[in-house]
Amino acid sequence: MLYKAPLFAALIVISLSAGAANSASGFSTDDKINLSNSPGPKSGKDIVASGGDAYATWFERDTGEIMIKKITRSQVTDIAAPESGSNPRLAADGKRVFLFYDGTDGKTHFKVINAGRHFGDEAAMGVTAGASIAIQDGIMYAVYPVGEGKMQFAKSTDVGRTFRNVTVIEDSDIEVHYPDVKYSGGQRILVDGKNVYLLWVEGAYPPSICDCPYLYRYQHVLFAKSGDGGATFGPTVILSQGIGGYFGDPQISAYRNHVYAVWHVERGLPYFTLNTYTAVSDDRGDSFSVIREAEGNQSFDSDVAASRTGAYLVLANYTSGNTEILARDKNGIEFEKAATAGTANWTNDPQIAVERRHVYVLWEEGDDGSGYANDVFFRSYKLRDLG
């Protein structure tokens, strides 16, 4: 997340359906659950689904604590977090759930939830802090910036202790408005079978303004794909080609042939118009045939999750002030509103996960719009209720 704009907001979830699903546990759509019950500034929210349950994490900025919750049909359980660290993110590999976080040593660390009950021993990884990590069949894949607008990909077969297949991903032909300095960030990695998908934003930092993270002006949304497990990558593709504005908060998800990327677009200086754009591929990322603005007024934060039933997009709508869900048929183009998850004067940083017959949504909301008196909320939906 690059910047929390001081505007009223709502969360919107959008779906793109694609097939049937199996049963899973989860709360009913009548339950909006306050997971934090501790109003205050939050960051680093994430959610994954595994074994029919949901796992949520976030960072309490006032206390410097990472919080983790396991959410089942009948209860919410606290899971012991590491004593120090920040920027938590989650990944699931079958029934194993991994917490990745940034350690004080400048490295990415992780812990494993064993059988969904507790974390194992902490392990430092051989990649820098801030790395985006995916895991499949015990193999870890990482992507992280290495300066001058470059991303580095690496792969580990020993649970993150060492990384090999190191590849630098770049596109030196991209022109930016500030050509002296390039900056890449917002890195995301997704692994689906032998396909490895990378998504990130690139631009230039205008040093004359200030050293503020939210003033990095990302001018391109970039995508790269490997079809051989990360051994080689094809050319870097500009997904945002022809779309004016500045970009941030890229997210990516995939199911079989379908790959979905989302990001926000800012137009005007500063933050006059905020919208979410989507790019859709039906050929495993070889081409993106649908790149368009998502339905729903002004929006900033967004996330996407794909399953056999389709892709579900959640976004913060700064016009209505509600937490909403939208749905879309796999063969359609338009996103349509499906549900409202919650209402507040301020909603922020939504996250989404899909498993079997449920969609899980995590977001932050408060009443004063400052971003400093918020709680973290959770809600589950049955797919059949979203259309």
Side-chain angles (χ1 to χ4, degrees):
M1 192 55 49
L2 302 179
Y3 177 61
K4 311 299 184 184
L7 303 171
F8 294 147
L11 296 183
I12 303 175
V13 180
I14 304 174
S15 121
L16 314 95
S17 62
N22 299 318
S23 62
S25 62
F27 289 98
S28 73
T29 55
D30 295 330
D31 295 321
K32 171 186 169 183
I33 301 170
N34 188 334
L35 294 182
S36 60
N37 289 301
S38 59
K42 313 288 195 292
S43 64
K45 286 170 289 298
D46 201 7
I47 188 168
V48 298
S50 176
D53 301 319
Y55 296 82
T57 187
W58 67 90
F59 182 69
E60 291 281 354
R61 290 164 56 191
D62 278 345
T63 62
E65 295 178 283
I66 293 175
M67 309 300 294
I68 310 122
K69 306 281 185 177
K70 178 183 178 182
I71 308 152
T72 68
R73 178 188 296 272
S74 59
Q75 64 183 353
V76 177
T77 305
D78 291 317
I79 296 177
E83 295 182 358
S84 63
S86 61
N87 190 25
R89 52 265 194 209
L90 296 168
D93 185 23
K95 292 186 177 180
R96 294 191 300 170
V97 177
F98 291 75
L99 172 74
F100 298 97
Y101 60 97
D102 294 347
T104 57
D105 58 356
K107 298 286 187 180
T108 293
H109 291 235
F110 76 89
K111 286 176 175 283
V112 183
I113 298 177
N114 297 316
R117 291 190 296 272
H118 62 277
F119 280 102
D121 294 335
E122 174 185 354
M125 302 176 66
V127 292
T128 184
S132 178
I133 310 291
I135 181 166
Q136 178 179 270
D137 299 329
I139 300 175
M140 289 186 177
Y141 304 79
V143 63
Y144 46 94
V146 289
E148 298 182 356
K150 300 176 183 179
M151 285 289 165
Q152 187 159 290
F153 165 83
K155 180 177 177 180
S156 173
T157 57
D158 57 5
V159 200
R161 292 174 178 83
T162 60
F163 280 82
R164 296 181 173 86
N165 295 89
V166 176
T167 304
V168 174
I169 312 293
E170 63 178 320
D171 192 329
S172 59
D173 295 330
I174 294 177
E175 296 181 358
V176 294
H177 297 313
Y178 301 91
D180 294 335
V181 182
K182 282 188 176 181
Y183 185 90
S184 294
Q187 59 274 3
R188 298 289 183 267
I189 187 169
L190 176 72
V191 180
D192 185 27
K194 292 184 178 180
N195 294 314
V196 179
Y197 304 111
L198 307 181
L199 186 71
W200 71 100
V201 286
E202 180 186 80
Y205 174 70
S208 61
I209 298 180
C210 76
D211 189 15
C212 304
Y214 55 83
L215 288 177
Y216 287 126
R217 318 306 288 177
Y218 296 104
Q219 292 132 325
H220 305 285
V221 179
L222 305 181
F223 171 85
K225 172 193 170 181
S226 170
D228 53 15
T232 60
F233 280 85
T236 299
V237 177
I238 306 176
L239 293 185
S240 56
Q241 190 74 48
I243 301 175
Y246 295 104
F247 310 113
D249 195 28
Q251 305 288 342
I252 190 168
S253 190
Y255 183 79
R256 293 184 176 173
N257 294 339
H258 308 290
V259 183
Y260 308 90
V262 301
W263 64 89
H264 74 243
V265 179
E266 168 204 323
R267 298 185 180 94
L269 293 172
Y271 321 112
F272 292 154
T273 304
L274 306 168
N275 295 105
T276 296
Y277 270 72
T278 61
V280 181
S281 172
D282 295 322
D283 54 12
R284 301 181 188 269
D286 290 337
S287 64
F288 285 83
S289 58
V290 178
I291 300 177
R292 61 185 300 129
E293 190 171 321
E295 172 117 358
N297 299 312
Q298 289 202 62
S299 57
F300 193 77
D301 304 336
S302 59
D303 193 17
V304 65
S307 74
R308 69 180 66 187
T309 56
Y312 295 83
L313 173 64
V314 60
L315 57 86
N317 187 319
Y318 289 122
T319 303
S320 66
N322 297 327
T323 302
E324 301 172 345
I325 299 177
L326 309 178
R328 190 196 116 188
D329 183 85
K330 71 172 181 177
N331 296 317
I333 295 177
E334 299 295 335
F335 290 105
E336 297 179 0
K337 180 178 175 182
T340 299
T343 60
N345 286 340
W346 166 267
T347 61
N348 191 35
D349 198 13
Q351 303 293 310
I352 191 168
V354 179
E355 186 183 44
R356 299 177 182 175
R357 291 184 178 178
H358 287 83
V359 173
Y360 303 112
V361 181
L362 186 75
W363 74 95
E364 180 182 343
E365 74 174 46
D367 292 327
D368 66 353
S370 69
Y372 290 94
N374 293 356
D375 275 307
V376 176
F377 288 84
F378 166 90
R379 199 162 192 174
S380 171
Y381 285 89
K382 295 178 181 178
L383 294 182
R384 66 170 181 263
D385 294 332
L386 298 180

